Amino acid sequence: AGATRINRYEFAKLIAEVFSLNKELIKPIDSNKISWIARRPKDSSLDVRKALSTLSHKPYKIEDALNVLKSEYYSIAVRHLL
């Protein structure tokens, strides 16, 4: 959970954008047409208002979180190549 509410489709497109992947490969789909093994809620976002008001470290905005993930991923990947 973070400070940004976003649906799965927009989240996938944002991941593709941050990691320089082809967003055209991501297609929207009606989640009712997927044969899930386990039931999934349509809205799986979390209410982070309490975390925002009580924690000294605030949740990142989604774009910021993905950029941190990207830099950490590439930092680790480079270390494994050396």
Side-chain angles (χ1 to χ4, degrees):
T4 310
R5 187 173 182 174
I6 189 168
N7 66 42
R8 292 175 181 103
Y9 173 66
E10 294 298 328
F11 185 47
K13 289 192 336 183
L14 186 56
I15 291 169
E17 182 177 319
V18 168
F19 283 86
S20 301
L21 302 170
N22 186 352
K23 292 186 292 188
E24 299 302 315
L25 297 174
I26 301 168
K27 306 293 182 199
I29 186 169
D30 182 347
S31 61
N32 293 324
K33 295 182 179 181
I34 300 173
S35 299
W36 298 104
I37 293 172
R39 291 176 37 192
R40 303 282 193 272
K42 286 186 184 258
D43 182 354
S44 59
S45 59
L46 297 175
D47 183 352
V48 296
R49 286 180 292 190
K50 187 169 185 177
L52 290 171
S53 68
T54 58
L55 297 175
S56 58
H57 295 289
K58 307 297 184 205
Y60 289 120
K61 292 180 181 173
I62 192 68
E63 295 89 351
D64 296 337
L66 287 173
N67 281 312
V68 168
L69 174 66
K70 179 181 177 181
S71 67
E72 289 176 356
Y73 172 78
Y74 286 121
S75 171
I76 291 168
V78 166
R79 277 188 265 143
H80 286 289
L81 291 175
L82 299 177

